[in-house]
Amino acid sequence: MERRDFLSGGFGAVGSVGAAGAVGAIAGLMPGIASAQDLPTVSWRLTSGFPKSLDTIYGGAEQFARIVETITGGKFKISVAGPGEIVPGPGAFEAVQKGTVQCAHTAGYYFLNVNKALAFDTTLPFGMNQRQHNAWVYQGGGLELLRELFAQYNMVNFPMGNTGAQMGGWYNKEIRSLEDVKGLKIRIPGFGAEIWQRLGAAPVNLPGGEIAAALRDKKIDAGEWVGPYDDDKLGLPAVARFYYYPAWWEPSAALSLYVNKAAYDALPAPYKEVITVATGWVNQWMMAAYDSRNPAAFKKMIGSGTRLQLFPNTFMIAAYRAGFSIYDAEAKVNPAFKKIYEPWKRYRAEINEWHKTAEAAMTNFLGNWRAEG
Amino acid sequence: MERRDFLSGGFGAVGSVGAAGAVGAIAGLMPGIASAQDLPTVSWRLTSGFPKSLDTIYGGAEQFARIVETITGGKFKISVAGPGEIVPGPGAFEAVQKGTVQCAHTAGYYFLNVNKALAFDTTLPFGMNQRQHNAWVYQGGGLELLRELFAQYNMVNFPMGNTGAQMGGWYNKEIRSLEDVKGLKIRIPGFGAEIWQRLGAAPVNLPGGEIAAALRDKKIDAGEWVGPYDDDKLGLPAVARFYYYPAWWEPSAALSLYVNKAAYDALPAPYKEVITVATGWVNQWMMAAYDSRNPAAFKKMIGSGTRLQLFPNTFMIAAYRAGFSIYDAEAKVNPAFKKIYEPWKRYRAEINEWHKTAEAAMTNFLGNWRAEG
């Protein structure tokens, strides 16, 4: 048998396991022979919904592009653009849907005007913490439900980053009771804003970069962003005294990579796996980055006169009740919301029953006893 | 210029950016041309330190092998073996060190006989929870410190999996005070055993598979393993009534992939990045898997008569003090331990100050208020 015949015979014999498997088998038998199926050169554009000044959150997309390029030996390149460079931040969803860009790094809860069910991609007030959200998407059926939703918009979604539990923001008056919420002009978007409004506040939405000036000029009484590291970059500690916690509207906030479906479908299997694994890496990296950068920023603020305050429990409970009543109402009129909400709510209840034992007891003990103590 | 000359000229011109970059540039200019630098076929063996019956923890190595093979189009294959198939579980460290296998999936705290500093790779009693450990290794300087330590043993280490905070185990008598600890025969290994012993207990070490029989035959009074999902697989709920929490000796437990240094150094850059990213993926996957599988196992136990009990605070505090006194003593005689212990302790204190605000408050609230409530 001539060498050519041997090779084609070999491919035929293992054809049923797919091209990648066949290449592996041949290469294993005959080391040194170049792989027959060379992977294509691919160039993509990614639009990030986050300002470049926020290195942790914007940096996630850069990490992703670097990993994809390194693993593929430079064959799959992704160029990362900030908001406004290709499309503005709020245009990211449509840009992916229509194929203007191949992918975007943003968060579902910025697009509630498209469908309120997109909130499950990020978080809902009193939803899940970071560990719980990860468990739900990766192993609890969450990703499958979200993929069905995003398919309607011509996209494939991948979790890519999380901020953890956020701080409740910066206030120039104290929140001692529900009475103090009435009339409060607070910068807050999304479902959180709906809940504050139901409790009597006057929520407004502003881009992150405008919060500090609005607080300084007393156009708002309070404003929230993410947590110590990012809030410091936005100049918030200088314009408000009270730093409240926790942001019950963001028990964690997950970010995602949205990929245009046609662009994704055109990729060979190894590149698809690269996207899954690289987005997963960034998902974990960003949480580690926030967890490593927040402590020093937090310490600095507390040392510079910021007054740390816990939201009163009566306020938390009232907000909790308002939240689930808003979700129940949405589920009645929005089948896409209902389809995710019901299994999400069951999953959330069961994981909380478990996490309140060892995990919570340990974390609380560690928080209260210092190594020096 | 002939086509051949053009190609070699092309490589020469961009040679300074490295082989991978050059391949990308050429392919970008001339789409469809096969990459000149084909990646090699590589076959590795991985020995797992965990029994195949524990699908979450053993499954991590299988996930890793699958990802590496898929991303490389079948060129980089890793065959996964259980304990005893190549070497027994306790032989994994030496097998990687000597190059008997290219890599092992195990945990540093199984090898305290080699160096107690290896505990930092996994956890120490009253150490960090899963988020904190991840933050420390990936972004807080931990991995660099651990890499220096592992280089002494001819290895490169990669975080690859975590169990989260573990349960404190199964008891046939109640622990109401420090008096109840005296003389208690408990199955527990490592630093945890040292602390129990200092408080008056009589710790013994047994392989996971022998705990249930020893409890049933009253050879031990208590035994701990991981948490509901794995403990159920080992048959522990049937042989003891009280399920205590938290395992203060395992506020999280990180697993790692140990790679023989020569094998790692021989890999091309894209394969090195594949290992970093695939181990990171499994690190996150395993936590999500435990978080998704534990709740149902936990619910089943509680519904079948298991009595859930919180360790008394006096016991926790006494154990905490004993632990740090043991670490301080070790740091005095073991420079490798001291070198990691000091920055680890500082990092731990600072991240706890931060995590006890928004993260703890949110998690505690979510644990105490149910969606139905």
Side-chain angles (χ1 to χ4, degrees), chain A residues 44-46 64 76 78 93 95-97 99 101-105 147 150-151 153-158 160 256-267 275-276 279:
Chain A
W44 276 13
R45 294 195 302 173
L46 182 158
F64 169 68
F76 187 176
I78 297 171
F93 195 88
V96 177
Q97 191 178 359
V101 294
Q102 287 80 13
C103 57
H105 188 215
R147 287 263 166 97
F150 279 86
Y153 303 101
N154 202 28
M155 294 180 204
V156 186
N157 59 299
F158 298 84
M160 191 163 105
S256 288
L257 186 79
Y258 301 152
V259 181
N260 177 272
K261 195 167 180 313
Y264 181 74
D265 288 343
L267 294 177
I275 291 191
T276 295
T279 52

Side-chain angles (χ1 to χ4, degrees), chain A residues 67-79:
Chain A
I67 290 167
V68 171
E69 185 166 340
T70 305
I71 286 183
T72 61
K75 286 185 155 192
F76 187 176
K77 279 187 201 290
I78 297 171
S79 67

Side-chain angles (χ1 to χ4, degrees), chain B residues 58-363:
Chain B
Y58 182 82
E62 294 178 316
Q63 285 272 336
F64 170 67
R66 182 193 58 73
I67 290 167
V68 170
E69 185 167 339
T70 304
I71 285 183
T72 62
K75 287 184 155 192
F76 187 175
K77 278 187 201 290
I78 297 171
S79 68
V80 178
E85 291 181 7
I86 305 172
V87 293
F93 195 87
E94 202 182 320
V96 177
Q97 191 177 358
K98 295 192 171 164
T100 311
V101 294
Q102 287 80 15
C103 56
H105 188 213
T106 182
Y109 71 173
Y110 293 143
F111 307 99
L112 300 189
N113 58 322
V114 175
N115 191 332
K116 285 193 171 171
L118 293 169
F120 292 105
D121 178 56
T122 315
T123 191
L124 275 77
F126 300 102
M128 296 191 247
N129 69 22
Q130 182 260 355
R131 279 261 301 266
Q132 296 170 347
H133 181 84
N134 264 1
W136 178 64
V137 289
Y138 286 125
Q139 286 281 299
L143 193 56
E144 292 77 359
L145 289 166
L146 291 168
R147 287 262 167 98
E148 274 184 53
L149 173 65
F150 279 86
Q152 295 174 30
Y153 303 101
N154 203 28
M155 294 179 203
V156 186
N157 59 300
F158 298 83
M160 191 163 105
N162 204 306
T163 64
Q166 298 195 5
M167 289 295 280
W170 300 86
Y171 296 70
N172 274 319
K173 53 175 280 197
E174 287 185 78
I175 307 295
R176 294 169 191 271
S177 72
L178 277 168
E179 274 312 298
D180 296 321
V181 172
K182 306 264 186 285
L184 190 87
K185 280 181 280 181
I186 177 170
R187 180 273 175 193
I188 183 171
F191 271 123
E194 268 193 66
I195 298 173
W196 275 92
Q197 187 159 38
R198 190 170 289 203
L199 300 180
V204 294
N205 199 357
L206 288 175
E210 296 174 24
I211 302 171
L215 266 170
R216 189 192 56 223
D217 300 342
K218 304 199 190 309
K219 289 180 182 160
I220 54 176
D221 306 310
E224 62 83 45
W225 183 243
V226 172
Y229 184 74
D230 286 348
D231 290 4
D232 186 50
K233 281 183 181 282
L234 294 189
L236 299 174
V239 291
R241 185 170 177 214
F242 302 107
Y243 200 19
Y244 271 92
Y245 72 97
W248 44 258
W249 53 95
E250 280 161 323
S252 68
L255 316 173
S256 287
L257 186 79
Y258 300 151
V259 181
N260 176 273
K261 196 170 178 313
Y264 181 73
D265 288 344
L267 294 177
Y271 288 5
K272 285 181 177 163
E273 184 75 5
V274 170
I275 291 192
T276 295
V277 179
T279 52
W281 168 267
V282 171
N283 193 47
Q284 180 167 254
W285 170 87
M286 194 185 295
M287 190 68 265
Y290 270 117
D291 277 339
S292 265
R293 295 169 188 182
N294 274 324
F298 178 69
K299 195 174 172 183
K300 188 182 104 180
M301 285 169 184
I302 301 305
S304 307
T306 289
R307 275 207 26 211
L308 188 67
Q309 308 263 65
L310 181 64
F311 279 132
N313 214 39
T314 48
F315 171 55
M316 297 275 288
I317 292 166
Y320 178 91
R321 288 183 172 142
F324 278 89
S325 126
I326 288 168
Y327 312 151
D328 288 341
E330 182 68 19
K332 288 207 177 88
V333 298
N334 182 346
F337 188 93
K338 182 179 175 174
K339 187 166 188 187
I340 305 181
Y341 177 53
E342 289 180 350
W344 175 89
K345 196 162 69 163
R346 275 196 303 275
Y347 188 91
R348 178 189 171 283
E350 289 205 359
I351 199 167
N352 271 320
E353 284 302 303
W354 160 236
H355 274 172
K356 76 190 205 189
T357 63
E359 201 66 51
M362 200 66 231
T363 295

Side-chain angles (χ1 to χ4, degrees), chain A:
Chain A
M1 180 162 78
E2 283 187 17
R3 183 187 162 109
R4 235 171 90 169
D5 293 328
F6 171 78
L7 272 176
S8 61
F11 276 110
V14 293
S16 64
V17 304
V23 169
I26 291 292
L29 288 168
M30 307 184 63
I33 288 189
S35 89
Q37 187 205 17
D38 270 293
L39 291 168
T41 297
V42 175
S43 281
W44 276 13
R45 294 195 302 173
L46 182 158
T47 182
S48 169
F50 309 104
K52 289 188 174 178
S53 61
L54 300 177
D55 57 344
T56 307
I57 203 161
Y58 182 82
E62 294 178 315
Q63 285 272 334
F64 169 68
R66 182 193 58 74
I67 290 167
V68 171
E69 185 166 340
T70 305
I71 286 183
T72 61
K75 286 185 155 192
F76 187 176
K77 279 187 201 290
I78 297 171
S79 67
V80 178
E85 291 181 9
I86 304 173
V87 292
F93 195 88
E94 200 182 320
V96 177
Q97 191 178 359
K98 297 194 170 163
T100 312
V101 294
Q102 287 80 13
C103 57
H105 188 215
T106 182
Y109 71 174
Y110 293 144
F111 306 99
L112 300 190
N113 57 324
V114 175
N115 191 332
K116 285 193 172 171
L118 293 169
F120 292 105
D121 178 56
T122 315
T123 192
L124 275 78
F126 300 101
M128 296 192 248
N129 69 22
Q130 182 261 355
R131 279 261 301 267
Q132 296 170 347
H133 181 83
N134 264 1
W136 178 65
V137 290
Y138 285 125
Q139 286 280 299
L143 193 56
E144 292 78 0
L145 288 166
L146 291 168
R147 287 263 166 97
E148 274 184 52
L149 174 66
F150 279 86
Q152 295 173 30
Y153 303 101
N154 202 28
M155 294 180 204
V156 186
N157 59 299
F158 298 84
M160 191 163 105
N162 203 307
T163 64
Q166 297 196 5
M167 289 295 280
W170 299 86
Y171 296 70
N172 275 319
K173 53 176 277 197
E174 286 185 80
I175 307 294
R176 295 170 191 271
S177 72
L178 278 168
E179 274 312 298
D180 295 321
V181 172
K182 306 262 186 286
L184 191 86
K185 280 181 279 182
I186 177 171
R187 180 272 174 195
I188 183 170
F191 271 122
E194 268 193 68
I195 298 173
W196 275 91
Q197 187 159 38
R198 190 170 289 202
L199 300 180
V204 294
N205 198 357
L206 287 174
E210 296 175 24
I211 303 170
L215 267 169
R216 189 193 56 224
D217 300 342
K218 303 197 191 309
K219 289 180 183 160
I220 54 177
D221 306 308
E224 62 81 46
W225 183 242
V226 172
Y229 184 74
D230 285 347
D231 290 3
D232 186 51
K233 281 182 182 282
L234 294 190
L236 299 174
V239 290
R241 185 169 176 215
F242 302 107
Y243 200 19
Y244 271 92
Y245 73 98
W248 44 259
W249 52 96
E250 280 161 322
S252 68
L255 315 174
S256 288
L257 186 79
Y258 301 152
V259 181
N260 177 272
K261 195 167 180 313
Y264 181 74
D265 288 343
L267 294 177
Y271 287 6
K272 285 180 177 164
E273 185 74 5
V274 170
I275 291 191
T276 295
V277 179
T279 52
W281 169 267
V282 172
N283 193 46
Q284 180 167 253
W285 170 86
M286 195 186 295
M287 190 68 265
Y290 271 117
D291 277 340
S292 264
R293 295 169 188 180
N294 274 325
F298 177 68
K299 194 173 172 183
K300 187 182 106 180
M301 285 168 184
I302 301 304
S304 306
T306 288
R307 271 199 36 203
L308 188 67
Q309 307 264 67
L310 181 63
F311 279 131
N313 214 39
T314 48
F315 171 55
M316 297 275 288
I317 292 166
Y320 178 91
R321 290 184 171 141
F324 278 89
S325 125
I326 288 169
Y327 312 152
D328 288 341
E330 182 68 19
K332 287 209 177 88
V333 297
N334 182 346
F337 188 92
K338 182 179 176 180
K339 188 167 187 186
I340 306 181
Y341 178 53
E342 289 180 351
W344 176 89
K345 196 163 69 163
R346 275 196 304 275
Y347 189 92
R348 176 189 172 284
E350 289 205 358
I351 199 167
N352 272 320
E353 283 303 302
W354 160 237
H355 273 172
K356 77 189 204 190
T357 63
E359 201 65 52
M362 200 67 232
T363 295
N364 288 331
F365 188 90
L366 295 176
N368 292 320
W369 281 82
R370 304 196 34 145
E372 299 75 20

